[in-house]
Amino acid sequence: MSKVRKFQVITLFPEMFAGVFENSMMWKAQKDGLVELSCLNLRDFGLGPRRQVDDTPYGGGDGMLLMIEPLWNAVEAAKANDPDAKVLLMTPRGERWKQALAREYSEADHGYIFICGRYEGYDERILELVDGEVSVGDYVLTGGELPAMTIIDSIVRLIPGVLGGEMSAEIESFSDGETLEFPQYTRPEDFNGRKVPEVLLSGHHGEIAKWRDQNSKKAS
Ligand code: 4FV
């Protein structure tokens, strides 16, 4: 029995994760003891009476930055829970997330710590504790929470035992890095004259496989 995989998230908005962690696959994966999903509130590592976590950038510039000390202490606390965990920084300048990475990360035998930014970003010195910078796309969000949710979902669903039909993760989009899934249909066979392709009702698995291959798109 592989050891439970821990996914810890450092965020100023742990409540944002409740919906994702306490429903559907993510909830079931926890119930089945396959993963442990948890949040550390960065505010708990804030400085002074006002538990400060952000400050103005040296050298001037708009907006605020997440301070190094609260971030550093939050990462250390998460590592104390899971010493072998890899630390991932959510940032637009990171490596673009894709299915092949989700597959690779799902096969690792260690946990992950996700750092979710807010404001204009981070004090650069946090990189000393970071194993990987990851981006979900070339656009700027208000925070790293949505990227962390997206990445955790894409990894956890590939952990053996999480998805019902193991098989399905193999034949899905991007499983070979480029192929997009073939069209699929379910009941009824005829929806107001909109019929399911005959070949799919034929039972001829060879013909069906050929049709599916011919109707799978290559990712651009
Ligand atoms: C982002 C992305 C992203 C940048 C400033 C949060 C925001 C704020 N993270 N992929 N795209 N982050 O836009 O990962 O701190």
Side-chain angles (χ1 to χ4, degrees):
M1 178 69 173
S2 61
K3 70 182 173 71
V4 62
R5 305 280 305 283
K6 294 183 178 176
F7 294 74
Q8 300 181 82
V9 179
I10 295 169
T11 171
L12 282 169
F13 300 99
E15 61 278 8
M16 287 177 69
F17 290 81
V20 173
F21 288 177
E22 294 158 17
N23 288 288
S24 183
M25 298 270 190
M26 298 303 119
W27 178 76
K28 185 173 174 309
Q30 291 175 90
K31 189 174 67 58
D32 297 348
L34 296 166
V35 298
E36 219 178 80
L37 310 176
S38 63
C39 292
L40 292 87
N41 191 331
L42 183 58
R43 186 64 64 188
D44 298 341
F45 300 86
L47 307 179
R50 291 183 307 107
R51 303 198 296 162
Q52 184 180 1
V53 295
D54 62 309
D55 207 336
T56 54
Y58 281 121
D62 299 346
M64 303 293 273
L65 288 181
L66 286 176
M67 300 166 76
I68 185 61
E69 194 171 346
L71 272 175
W72 191 281
N73 296 339
V75 172
E76 294 292 11
K79 282 193 164 188
N81 296 339
D82 190 10
D84 308 339
K86 290 281 179 269
V87 178
L88 302 177
L89 189 73
M90 308 294 103
T91 170
R93 70 180 194 199
E95 176 180 13
R96 172 65 72 77
W97 191 250
K98 57 185 182 201
Q99 190 64 13
L101 286 173
R103 166 72 57 197
E104 181 195 323
Y105 281 47
S106 72
E107 289 157 357
D109 66 350
H110 54 70
Y112 293 99
I113 296 166
F114 293 77
I115 304 175
C116 301
R118 278 280 153 174
Y119 313 108
E120 303 319 305
Y122 316 87
D123 182 301
E124 193 77 3
R125 290 169 285 190
I126 195 60
L127 292 183
E128 199 178 315
L129 294 183
V130 167
D131 300 296
E133 294 179 72
V134 185
S135 171
V136 288
D138 296 345
Y139 40 82
V140 180
L141 301 166
T142 59
E145 284 76 13
L146 294 173
M149 293 174 195
T150 301
I151 292 168
I152 290 170
D153 186 285
S154 69
I155 296 171
V156 169
R157 64 187 295 281
L158 294 175
I159 291 175
V162 171
L163 275 189
E166 293 287 348
M167 177 58 184
S168 59
E170 299 321 308
I171 55 173
E172 67 186 8
S173 294
F174 305 112
S175 56
D176 64 355
E178 58 163 2
T179 306
L180 288 168
E181 247 164 41
F182 42 76
Q184 302 201 69
Y185 303 81
T186 186
R187 278 178 282 280
E189 282 180 24
D190 181 327
F191 174 60
N192 305 339
R194 299 169 185 80
K195 298 184 183 338
V196 171
E198 279 304 317
V199 63
L200 298 179
L201 309 171
S202 69
H204 294 309
H205 296 298
E207 290 303 315
I208 291 168
K210 199 165 66 187
W211 180 88
R212 283 176 167 174
D213 190 51
Q214 284 155 354
N215 289 276
S216 294
K217 294 187 186 59
K218 293 281 176 244
S220 51

